Amino acid sequence: MNDTRTLRQPVVVDFASTTYARIKPVPVTAVELQGDFWGKRFETVRKATLPSQWDLLESTNRLNNFRRVFGEYDGPFEGLFFNDSDLYKWLEAASWLVARGPDAELEKRIEEGIELIERAQEEDGYIDTYFSVDRRDEKWENLRDLHEMYVGGHLIQAAVAHHRATGKTRLLNIAVRFADMLCKRFGPASDGKVEAIDGHEEIEMALIELARETGHTRYIELARFFIKARGHGLLKGGRFGDAYFQDDVPFDQMEALAGHAVRALYMACGITDLYLETGEEGLLPRLETLWDRLTANRMYITGGVGARHDGEAIGADYELPNSQAYTETCAAIGSMMWCHRMLAATGDARYVDLFEWTLYNGMLPGWSLDGRGYYYVNPLENDGSHRRQDWYYCACCPPNVARTIASLPGYVYGTDAASLYVHLYLDSDAKVDVAGKTVAISQRTQYPWDGAIDISIDADATFGLKLRIPGWSREHAALTSREGQAEAGSRVTLSVNGAAVDATPDANGYVTIERAWKSGDRVRLDLPMSVRVWQTHPKVADNRGRVALSRGPVLYCIEQADMKGIDLDEVYVDPARVAANWEPALLNGVVALKGAAERRAIDSAWEGELYRPFGNPRGDVSATPIDLLAIPYFAWHNRESGPMKVWMNYREA
């Protein structure tokens, strides 16, 4: 391929020609994020996150590892064996940004990165700087642990993004050479190829995306081979066991996602992509079963996945410790990626519900408000020792966050043959092709702080506008209906040009307004945003007698910074006495939850004792009224270090 500019639509995952996708994506460039929440965060990625990450790629010798391959750096390989993927994810993020318009500095860095990759690629298409100099004889010898295909998968995804964003083929050519090398080497033994799989899933969805971009179905066939070969013990799981690598049973026999959380979720993404391309019988029902089991038994209230530090793994059912939660930021992103694909496959808004919830409460905590700090691990309770870092020796999460935020505009809307879907509520302006017409659509809203969304349509066209009624709002409406509550603000309301419209969602969670739209039409959606109180299944030991608080799509926590001198273990909250307050000077402006609580100091008679016979006198319990202030969980540890809790002791009324 020549480095021409045959520009493709810059969509994150291209379902446009996918037979089994019920909802098609919109380009990243179709939507301009506005407002104080996402508009400013999007600019933070451009101005702070990506520039600082590039500097860190340089200062930590990620880039020198490439120069070392072609002789411009004579030091040793530095960092982890899969460091190359940090550059690839950075390039993907930067590509989504330059798709929106010229950015001289970013474009310069992108070209520098591509130059390094191109010069480091070997004659046969192989590229992995960990192996290319002094470990050449070890290539493909340890696929279980050393991630060669995982790294290559991120190269492919970066190349596809760059091609869609710019029309240039230089990086895509590199990815095609790598993928063609895989096709020649790996596959059924009956074809004279090596039957093997990578220990870390990623290559499967990357190959399918490359097939979508190039039209070459051989990449889908190789992805299918990798998916079908998994589950037969090829990796010989070592101390973690085959289940850790999702290699213990074939997919069609899998009862629950288990093992390394990111691997499991990336596997699910690849299999969903295979279904979307082929419609293969049995794949979608099994995917739905695994999603149901994960969300009902093994997922944190944040949307985070991964209970165990040992192996970064998903725990057993109800194994959800708070202070020891691993919940890697990359796992939250993997869940969002899977939800996006499952939405396309089913049209069911429950997948967007989890995408949105995880965006705010699972992924966003992994990124500091200034755009330069990150969490790899996201506990739901901490003693103050956990702190964001500007980088990690294993730095998979920071550039993963960058590519997720940079591509966020591509997740806001979707289309089918006759409808425009509004998946996410974000202050924004967009132009979307619907049923052969270009529709300008704007959202003016303070969401997630306020449930009022004003939508304006600028088009003369007939189509169905499908508005997602968020799951948290649907559940609230059902609860208030059962309890006979009909006070103002307790129900979802909807109007078009001031006239009320039925806001009852369909079985898929969307309410449809079908009409001949005229320029200047206005839609108003109001979602109730009262404080919600959560409890946990009784088998989750850490949360017995505790509650968590949320409002809209945002989960809350209490932090020592707001409750000076108080042991958070001694705080008892009365949820009925908590109310929302806009705090413009707090954490760049947030809605906080304020109210009355109680401090129950531990009986001083326990001093020096760990155990005592049950029933012995314990002395007086010191109960003192205190003021509660809860902040969004995503914003914790953006001021000072100190204890934090999501799940709070419950004070009985």
Side-chain angles (χ1 to χ4, degrees):
M1 298 181 188
N2 295 320
D3 199 11
T4 58
R5 296 185 65 88
T6 306
L7 198 61
R8 295 286 302 273
Q9 288 279 38
V11 294
V12 184
V13 185
D14 191 357
F15 306 131
S17 302
T18 299
T19 303
Y20 296 93
R22 296 180 58 180
I23 300 176
K24 309 297 185 180
V26 303
V28 169
T29 52
V31 182
E32 292 284 346
L33 300 182
Q34 308 288 354
D36 287 341
F37 198 96
W38 285 113
K40 287 186 176 179
R41 281 169 170 79
F42 198 78
E43 279 306 296
T44 296
V45 170
R46 180 189 298 276
K47 295 178 179 178
T49 300
L50 284 180
S52 62
Q53 286 187 4
W54 179 268
D55 291 342
L56 285 158
L57 288 169
E58 189 70 86
S59 64
T60 60
N61 286 321
R62 262 77 166 169
L63 303 184
N64 276 337
N65 287 337
F66 286 87
R67 297 183 183 108
R68 179 173 179 262
V69 175
F70 50 83
E72 288 189 1
Y73 176 72
D74 61 3
F77 179 93
E78 295 200 27
L80 283 172
F81 47 88
F82 56 91
N83 273 355
D84 292 4
S85 63
D86 298 337
L87 171 60
Y88 301 153
K89 280 181 276 190
W90 187 94
L91 285 170
E92 182 181 346
S95 294
W96 297 132
L97 290 184
V98 301
R100 315 191 70 81
D103 186 315
E105 189 62 26
L106 267 186
E107 292 177 66
K108 175 185 175 185
R109 297 306 184 198
I110 288 170
E111 291 303 315
E112 287 180 25
I114 295 173
E115 173 83 10
L116 293 175
I117 298 164
E118 189 175 58
R119 294 183 66 186
Q121 187 170 37
E122 298 180 24
E123 190 81 18
D124 65 354
Y126 183 89
I127 178 167
D128 191 313
T129 66
Y130 181 73
F131 292 96
S132 290
V133 180
D134 46 11
R135 291 182 174 87
R136 298 181 62 83
D137 294 338
E138 300 173 33
K139 294 177 187 176
W140 310 122
E141 292 297 317
N142 185 358
L143 284 171
R144 184 187 72 192
D145 300 319
L146 297 183
H147 295 15
E148 283 161 278
M149 286 192 233
Y150 163 85
V151 173
H154 279 299
L155 167 64
I156 291 169
Q157 288 181 318
V160 168
H162 184 254
H163 184 237
R164 289 175 183 167
T166 69
K168 297 179 180 180
T169 59
R170 189 179 180 190
L171 188 57
L172 187 66
N173 289 343
I174 296 168
V176 165
R177 286 195 294 270
F178 178 82
D180 286 346
M181 179 264 303
L182 292 183
C183 289
K184 291 175 184 176
R185 182 179 182 87
F186 295 100
S190 59
D191 293 342
K193 298 181 179 181
V194 177
E195 290 192 345
I197 57 175
D198 196 273
H200 195 311
E201 294 93 332
E202 159 70 24
I203 191 64
E204 298 85 356
M205 58 176 156
L207 284 168
I208 293 173
E209 205 60 40
L210 185 62
R212 291 167 176 156
E213 192 67 8
T214 63
H216 298 318
T217 58
R218 62 181 178 271
Y219 304 133
I220 294 175
E221 291 310 309
L222 182 57
R224 184 204 299 271
F225 167 78
F226 288 141
I227 288 167
K228 299 295 185 179
R230 190 171 296 274
H232 300 280
L234 287 175
L235 292 170
K236 301 186 182 346
R239 82 171 183 90
F240 285 119
D242 289 339
Y244 174 79
F245 300 96
Q246 299 78 48
D247 195 31
D248 54 330
V249 295
F251 174 74
D252 60 6
Q253 299 172 31
M254 198 173 284
E255 296 297 328
L257 290 184
H260 186 275
V262 179
R263 286 171 164 91
L265 290 160
Y266 282 11
M267 175 198 72
C269 289
I271 295 171
T272 311
D273 276 328
L274 182 63
Y275 166 76
L276 287 164
E277 291 303 317
T278 67
E280 183 174 323
E281 188 175 354
L283 291 183
L284 185 58
R286 181 65 60 175
L287 287 160
E288 291 175 313
T289 296
L290 295 178
W291 192 89
D292 289 342
R293 178 77 180 273
L294 178 69
T295 56
N297 300 81
R298 299 183 173 189
M299 179 174 280
Y300 282 90
I301 193 171
T302 60
V305 181
R308 300 176 181 173
H309 281 248
D310 187 29
E312 303 178 327
I314 300 170
D317 287 356
Y318 311 115
E319 182 187 345
L320 296 166
N322 290 324
S323 63
Q324 291 301 308
Y326 200 74
T327 52
E328 182 182 340
T329 301
C330 282
I333 292 168
S335 174
M336 293 165 62
M337 292 162 60
W338 186 23
C339 286
H340 180 58
R341 289 161 168 81
M342 290 296 286
L343 170 69
T346 66
D348 194 329
R350 66 181 182 150
Y351 298 108
V352 193
D353 289 342
L354 183 57
F355 180 103
E356 177 188 66
W357 188 266
T358 306
L359 171 67
Y360 286 104
N361 307 305
M363 188 282 290
L364 204 53
W367 189 44
S368 65
L369 295 179
D370 68 3
R372 293 182 171 88
Y374 310 91
Y375 276 144
Y376 190 109
V377 176
N378 295 277
L380 282 74
E381 180 176 322
N382 191 252
D383 62 5
S385 60
H386 193 53
R387 298 174 175 85
R388 286 187 183 83
Q389 299 182 33
D390 60 3
W391 200 243
Y392 289 87
Y393 182 68
C394 175
C396 53
C397 295
N400 218 358
V401 168
R403 69 172 182 152
T404 302
I405 302 296
S407 63
L408 184 61
Y411 296 101
V412 179
Y413 297 102
T415 64
D416 63 21
S419 305
L420 172 60
Y421 291 76
V422 184
H423 299 316
L424 300 176
Y425 298 110
L426 297 79
D427 198 275
S428 58
D429 298 307
K431 288 187 177 179
V432 182
D433 291 335
V434 186
K437 299 278 189 176
T438 299
V439 175
I441 179 170
S442 297
Q443 296 184 41
R444 298 280 83 89
T445 181
Q446 295 299 313
Y447 196 92
W449 308 129
D450 192 298
I453 302 110
D454 288 302
I455 297 173
S456 61
I457 304 292
D458 186 6
D460 294 313
T462 299
F463 61 91
L465 181 66
K466 290 181 174 286
L467 304 171
R468 179 178 65 96
I469 307 302
W472 53 265
S473 183
R474 298 196 302 272
E475 292 163 9
H476 174 86
L479 178 65
T480 54
S481 175
R482 288 196 302 270
E483 296 180 349
Q485 300 175 9
E487 69 273 14
S490 69
R491 294 177 293 106
V492 177
T493 61
L494 180 63
S495 65
V496 178
N497 297 329
V501 174
D502 182 11
T504 304
D506 61 22
N508 284 332
Y510 291 88
V511 60
T512 303
I513 306 172
E514 184 79 45
R515 61 185 276 125
W517 296 93
K518 300 296 182 184
S519 293
D521 281 345
R522 298 291 183 267
V523 176
R524 170 72 177 235
L525 176 65
D526 282 286
L527 303 170
M529 278 201 171
S530 57
V531 176
R532 301 184 67 201
V533 186
W534 299 88
Q535 61 181 349
T536 316
H537 191 287
K539 288 188 177 181
V540 180
D542 267 19
N543 296 338
R544 291 171 188 156
R546 292 181 171 185
V547 295
L549 303 175
S550 71
R551 182 178 178 275
V554 176
L555 183 69
Y556 283 77
C557 69
I558 53 175
E559 193 175 15
Q560 189 82 78
D562 301 304
M563 307 186 75
K564 300 289 188 182
I566 297 175
D567 183 343
L568 300 187
D569 286 336
E570 298 177 351
V571 174
Y572 285 73
V573 60
D574 179 357
R577 303 175 67 190
V578 173
N581 288 272
W582 172 245
E583 302 289 340
L586 179 64
L587 297 163
N588 295 345
V590 299
V591 168
L593 303 183
K594 289 184 172 183
E598 191 173 81
R599 179 184 183 185
R600 297 181 183 177
I602 297 171
D603 178 8
S604 60
W606 278 99
E607 188 70 30
E609 289 191 67
L610 184 58
Y611 306 103
R612 62 168 59 167
F614 181 76
N616 277 12
R618 303 187 181 202
D620 295 328
V621 175
S622 173
T624 309
I626 57 172
D627 293 325
L628 179 82
L629 192 154
I631 64 167
Y633 171 67
F634 70 71
W636 81 281
H637 192 242
N638 273 278
R639 293 168 292 176
E640 61 188 55
S641 298
M644 176 278 299
K645 280 181 181 290
V646 168
W647 289 96
M648 294 165 271
N649 297 320
Y650 172 60
R651 178 189 174 192
E652 302 83 356

